[in-house]
Amino acid sequence: MLVLVTYDVSTTTAEGKKRLRKVAQLCQNYGQRVQNSVFECIMNTTQFTALKIALTNVINVEEDSLRFYRISGSNYKNKVEHLGAKASIDLEGPLLF
Amino acid sequence: MLVLVTYDVSTTTAEGKKRLRKVAQLCQNYGQRVQNSVFECIMNTTQFTALKIALTNVINVEEDSLRFYRISGSNYKNKVEHLGAKASIDLEGPLLF
């Protein structure tokens, strides 16, 4: 399942900047950053639950916003379109060396 | 159909800041801003095509990134989860005055 993780973390304080880095690091474990605060993660339900718990322990729920969009189905690639810079890689595509 | 529009617009120049405002204005015509650079838009295919064309005419494809995620099906609300601040409104919910 593709899960899109989008977030706004308040970076007005040093503490907020630290939270921002931590949120990105956690998401990086499960997928790829496609925009500044958007990650595409390929995960199963158990991994998704684990990520949500980990993120909940990091953010400040009064200031920060996290959104998760489950884009289910094996054909999720057909549901994603990109225009402009920073094209993403196909997480399940062949690894070319 | 719910279409998620996420974008990174380079704001290092005045021109970039202008593009950012224009992108947000265009998206605002079709839906709600749920995070700084994330819009949830309820549209049909024709509207989606029109929005993409309008956005393509605004962005700088070398610097800016636009991503569209089609979350189809009438049960799209079940596919969206939110944690923390800035909860979104239910675009198709009852209008309470």
Side-chain angles (χ1 to χ4, degrees):
Chain A
M1 149 177 84
L2 169 66
V3 178
L4 195 69
V5 184
T6 71
Y7 53 85
D8 271 358
V9 174
S10 165
T11 53
T12 51
T13 64
E15 172 53 26
K17 288 187 178 106
K18 206 172 113 192
R19 291 197 309 269
L20 182 66
R21 281 193 303 274
K22 189 65 182 157
V23 164
Q25 279 162 10
L26 287 170
C27 292
Q28 200 85 49
N29 296 337
Y30 293 93
Q32 68 170 319
R33 177 178 238 156
V34 291
Q35 286 175 346
N36 284 341
S37 50
V38 178
F39 274 83
E40 288 181 8
C41 302
I42 309 283
M43 342 187 235
N44 58 39
T45 313
T46 309
Q47 290 168 319
F48 181 31
T49 304
L51 177 60
K52 276 191 289 186
I53 292 168
L55 289 172
T56 307
N57 293 330
V58 166
I59 64 164
N60 175 330
V61 291
E62 302 298 322
E63 296 179 15
D64 306 334
S65 165
L66 268 171
R67 299 184 73 80
F68 304 97
Y69 298 88
R70 274 176 290 117
I71 301 173
S72 41
S74 54
N75 66 340
Y76 63 80
K77 288 169 199 163
N78 305 338
K79 300 178 180 175
V80 185
E81 291 178 55
H82 170 258
L83 281 174
K86 297 186 211 166
S88 64
I89 51 168
D90 177 354
L91 284 177
E92 295 182 308
L95 287 177
L96 306 178
F97 289 95
Chain B
M1 157 175 77
L2 170 67
V3 177
L4 196 69
V5 184
T6 71
Y7 53 85
D8 272 358
V9 174
S10 167
T11 54
T12 51
T13 64
E15 172 53 26
K17 289 187 177 105
K18 204 172 117 194
R19 291 198 308 271
L20 182 65
R21 282 192 302 273
K22 188 66 181 156
V23 165
Q25 280 162 10
L26 286 170
C27 292
Q28 202 84 48
N29 296 337
Y30 293 93
Q32 67 171 319
R33 178 179 237 156
V34 291
Q35 287 175 345
N36 284 341
S37 50
V38 178
F39 275 82
E40 288 182 7
C41 303
I42 310 281
M43 352 186 226
N44 58 38
T45 313
T46 309
Q47 292 169 317
F48 181 32
T49 305
L51 177 60
K52 275 191 289 187
I53 292 169
L55 289 171
T56 306
N57 292 332
V58 166
I59 65 164
N60 174 331
V61 292
E62 303 296 322
E63 297 180 14
D64 307 334
S65 165
L66 268 171
R67 297 185 74 80
F68 304 97
Y69 297 88
R70 273 176 291 116
I71 301 174
S72 42
S74 55
N75 65 341
Y76 63 79
K77 288 169 198 161
N78 306 337
K79 299 177 180 175
V80 184
E81 293 179 53
H82 170 257
L83 282 174
K86 296 187 211 164
S88 64
I89 52 169
D90 178 354
L91 284 178
E92 294 182 310
L95 286 177
L96 307 177
F97 289 95

